[in-house]
Amino acid sequence: METFETNDDHVIVRLDSGDMALESITEACEEHDIDTGAIVSGIGTFRNLNIHYVPTAEFPDEKSERNTFLNLEGAWEVGTIDGAIADGDPHLHVIAYNGDETVAGHLEDGCEVHILSELTIRKFDGPEMTRRPNEKNVGTLQLK
């Protein structure tokens, strides 16, 4: 991974083959002191894709029943990675294609960069944000 900070509060992140995507993005946030921000551009290729998504229109009370996790092997062309960063923690979504199917979901740890990935993070000066559970135990953006 290599990062480059611009003069207008952006951080450009280059991930190389073998880098772990979400883990490296989190590391870039730490290195550049990004507490609140957003991924404004993200593309790349992954060797595997780990995501979760909400599979039902119902809203189960049990948090463990709300998500379906997919660990997908093979080469994935990433069309977009985007999302918000609150309290230094990226909450990112991804859309990817493997030649047969397109999938979308919440980016999880363990996605290894295949060829490359390039992202741009926009740092925000304020307000500082965090995520706290709401009445349905869903982490929602709130002021710190």
Side-chain angles (χ1 to χ4, degrees):
M1 173 183 74
E2 191 166 359
T3 62
F4 313 91
E5 192 158 351
T6 69
N7 294 332
D8 61 350
D9 292 327
H10 288 79
V11 174
I12 299 164
V13 181
R14 187 195 75 226
L15 302 180
D16 299 311
S17 181
D19 288 339
M20 303 306 283
L22 184 56
E23 296 88 333
S24 295
I25 295 165
T26 301
E27 182 182 329
C29 289
E30 291 170 6
E31 281 182 18
H32 292 274
D33 198 27
I34 301 171
D35 182 75
T36 304
I39 303 290
V40 295
S41 173
I43 55 95
T45 57
F46 292 168
R47 286 194 179 110
N48 61 301
L49 185 63
N50 299 327
I51 61 172
H52 80 260
Y53 69 97
V54 178
T56 177
E58 303 300 318
F59 197 89
D61 289 333
E62 288 297 318
K63 192 172 183 178
S64 63
E65 297 175 11
R66 294 180 191 167
N67 300 307
T68 295
F69 289 82
L70 299 176
N71 298 348
L72 305 167
E73 296 299 321
W76 290 88
E77 185 71 25
V78 176
T80 186
I81 302 170
D82 56 15
I85 300 163
D87 217 6
D89 184 29
H91 177 157
L92 307 179
H93 286 237
V94 60
I95 298 173
Y97 177 68
N98 72 352
D100 293 319
E101 65 180 324
T102 301
V103 296
H106 177 100
L107 188 65
E108 293 289 340
D109 284 341
C111 298
E112 184 179 353
V113 174
H114 180 37
I115 306 297
L116 65 83
S117 184
E118 299 169 344
L119 303 107
T120 302
I121 303 171
R122 173 72 165 107
K123 296 183 351 178
F124 299 153
D125 290 332
E128 289 185 355
M129 305 296 291
T130 191
R131 285 192 176 75
R132 289 191 198 97
N134 64 11
E135 66 280 352
K136 293 186 178 188
N137 200 23
V138 175
T140 59
L141 281 174
Q142 300 177 29
L143 290 175
K144 221 179 206 186

